[in-house]
């Protein structure tokens, strides 16, 4: 690494760079599911949990395996310019630069991590009730456990609070709705439980770093009538 112009890691390859001491005092990213472990094992590393890829000096790290493609395109752009990177992205049929961070790809996978645990059972109970006004007491009662136990188990299993899980599930639902042809942002907001388009825009800005309309433009379904 000392003799290389750049040193890069993809996904959990960040653990290798961290073990070698190359990331001490630097920002780095790894797969969202392993970010907490990277931070715990290497406290000298400033682990970011939502970036697709990061550069800190000569060292580059990226999120999941597919994020390695985003990183590779960034390296092409550094060496050959934007036109070459854009041409490569078109050839590969991938985004030149993906909007938002890796949170937009993680919510459903997290919800499926342990369907028999408190997290999975609560997620299953919440999904058909996303449009309702729900509080933590109702959630705990649905699982026949105390509020305190609900908080503790959710933190242990998924690192979230009941309110955070509800928000993630509503975001998951909103994303799925926005991917449907002909779906409006307003309808998606109400059907996902956000009550208003304003609330959905705020949630998207905070959770994904993009507007609902931008997400819809990039991930929305094929519209045969519009020809897009």
């Amino acid at each position: 690494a000392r003799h290389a112009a750049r040193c890069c890691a993809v996904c959990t390859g960040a653990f290798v760079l961290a073990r070698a001491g190359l990331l001490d005092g630097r920002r780095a990213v790894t797969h969202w599911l392993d970010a907490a472990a990277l931070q715990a094992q290497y406290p000298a590393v400033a682990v970011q949990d939502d970036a697709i890829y990061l550069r800190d000096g000569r060292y580059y790290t990226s999120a999941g395996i597919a994020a390695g493609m985003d990183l590779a395109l960034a390296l092409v752009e550094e060496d050959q310019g934007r036109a070459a990177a854009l041409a490569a992205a078109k050839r590969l049929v991938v985004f030149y630069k993906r909007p938002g961070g890796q949170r937009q790809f993680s919510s459903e996978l997290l919800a499926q991590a342990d369907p028999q645990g408190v997290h999975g059972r609560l997620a299953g109970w919440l999904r058909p009730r996303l449009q309702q006004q729900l509080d933590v007491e109702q959630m705990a009662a649905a699982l026949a456990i105390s509020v305190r136990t609900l908080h503790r188990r959710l933190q242990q299993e998924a690192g979230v609070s009941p309110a955070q899980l509800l928000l993630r599930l509503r975001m998951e639902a909103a994303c799925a709705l926005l991917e449907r042809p002909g779906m409006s942002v307003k309808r998606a907001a109400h059907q996902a439980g956000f009550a208003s388009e304003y609330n959905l825009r705020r949630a998207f800005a905070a959770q994904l770093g993009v507007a609902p309309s931008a997400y819809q433009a990039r991930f929305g379904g094929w519209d045969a009538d519009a020809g897009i």
Side-chain angles (χ1 to χ4, degrees):
R2 287 190 294 270
H3 302 291
R6 293 181 295 218
C7 188
C8 307
V10 175
C11 195
T12 51
F15 284 79
V16 178
L17 300 190
R19 177 68 178 270
L22 301 174
L23 300 180
D24 287 356
R26 299 184 183 277
R27 295 183 308 133
V29 66
T30 188
H31 192 283
W32 64 270
L33 193 58
D34 301 292
L38 181 64
Q39 187 66 85
Q41 293 180 37
Y42 303 100
V45 181
V47 178
Q48 313 295 300
D49 67 355
D50 192 41
I52 297 294
Y53 63 86
L54 282 174
R55 173 188 178 182
D56 193 325
R58 295 185 295 118
Y59 301 97
Y60 298 70
T61 51
S62 62
I65 295 297
M69 297 296 294
D70 298 87
L71 174 55
L73 288 170
L75 298 177
V76 171
E77 182 177 16
E78 285 187 14
D79 291 345
Q80 301 296 328
R82 183 180 185 277
L86 184 58
K90 289 180 177 178
R91 176 72 174 179
L92 296 169
V93 197
V94 297
F95 285 115
Y96 168 54
K97 291 185 185 294
R98 277 193 278 178
Q102 49 176 330
R103 289 194 191 104
Q104 62 190 308
F105 306 106
S106 67
S107 61
E108 186 167 348
L109 293 175
L110 183 59
Q112 295 174 358
D114 183 5
Q116 300 305 315
V118 166
H119 177 264
R121 289 162 52 211
L122 181 59
W125 184 82
L126 287 171
R127 278 198 179 93
R129 299 172 174 83
L130 295 180
Q131 296 183 38
Q132 300 178 18
Q133 293 291 327
L134 300 167
D135 57 36
V136 67
E137 286 77 14
Q138 291 171 289
M139 298 183 205
L143 270 62
I145 58 178
S146 68
V147 170
R148 181 176 180 180
T149 298
L150 178 62
H151 275 280
R152 177 173 54 81
R153 292 287 299 276
L154 280 179
Q155 283 294 329
Q156 290 174 343
E157 294 180 15
V160 297
S161 68
Q164 289 170 334
L165 175 58
L166 178 58
L167 175 59
R168 287 189 179 188
L169 293 175
R170 283 175 171 161
M171 285 293 299
E172 173 191 303
C175 288
L177 288 164
L178 290 171
E179 291 165 12
R180 296 180 184 177
M183 176 62 64
S184 70
V185 174
K186 184 176 182 179
R187 282 173 55 205
H190 282 278
Q191 291 184 29
F194 285 98
S196 71
E197 187 175 342
Y198 173 75
N199 290 340
L200 181 63
R201 288 199 304 268
R202 287 189 60 187
F204 263 65
Q207 299 297 311
L208 303 185
V210 296
S213 56
Y215 181 94
Q216 187 175 41
R218 291 170 173 85
F219 297 101
W222 178 275
D223 190 334
D225 295 330
I228 57 174

